[in-house]
Amino acid sequence: MYVRKQGKAEEKAEDILKILEIKGMIPEKLRNEIQEERDLTRLDEWFMLAEKSKAVEAFLDQYC
């Protein structure tokens, strides 16, 4: 179960990064934090925020 959850978290993090890459340069610190996150709820929130944001800077303004 843990391995499956970890795999889902990694996939979701990669999806977030793909969205953000289209919208601009991703700071290394942000990239690392997204890749290291394992909380699926938080990743879902970040995914929605990435979708709504017009640029990486807008994502960073609301990213917690």
Side-chain angles (χ1 to χ4, degrees):
M1 176 82 164
Y2 174 76
V3 173
R4 196 168 109 201
K5 232 178 162 179
Q6 182 178 354
K8 285 185 178 186
E10 290 171 359
E11 287 178 19
K12 182 66 77 169
E14 288 304 313
D15 291 343
I16 294 165
L17 292 173
K18 285 177 188 175
I19 293 167
L20 291 175
E21 285 171 350
I22 293 168
K23 300 178 182 208
M25 292 291 296
I26 305 170
E28 194 65 30
K29 182 179 179 203
L30 175 60
R31 180 180 297 278
N32 291 339
E33 288 178 15
I34 292 171
Q35 289 174 326
E36 292 171 4
E37 184 61 57
R38 293 295 172 253
D39 182 329
L40 289 172
T41 301
R42 177 165 285 165
L43 287 165
D44 284 338
E45 291 169 1
W46 290 349
F47 180 85
M48 296 303 292
L49 179 58
E51 284 281 317
K52 292 189 309 185
S53 299
K54 295 193 184 299
V56 173
E57 293 78 14
F59 178 87
L60 284 168
D61 287 344
Q62 297 182 38
Y63 166 82
C64 47

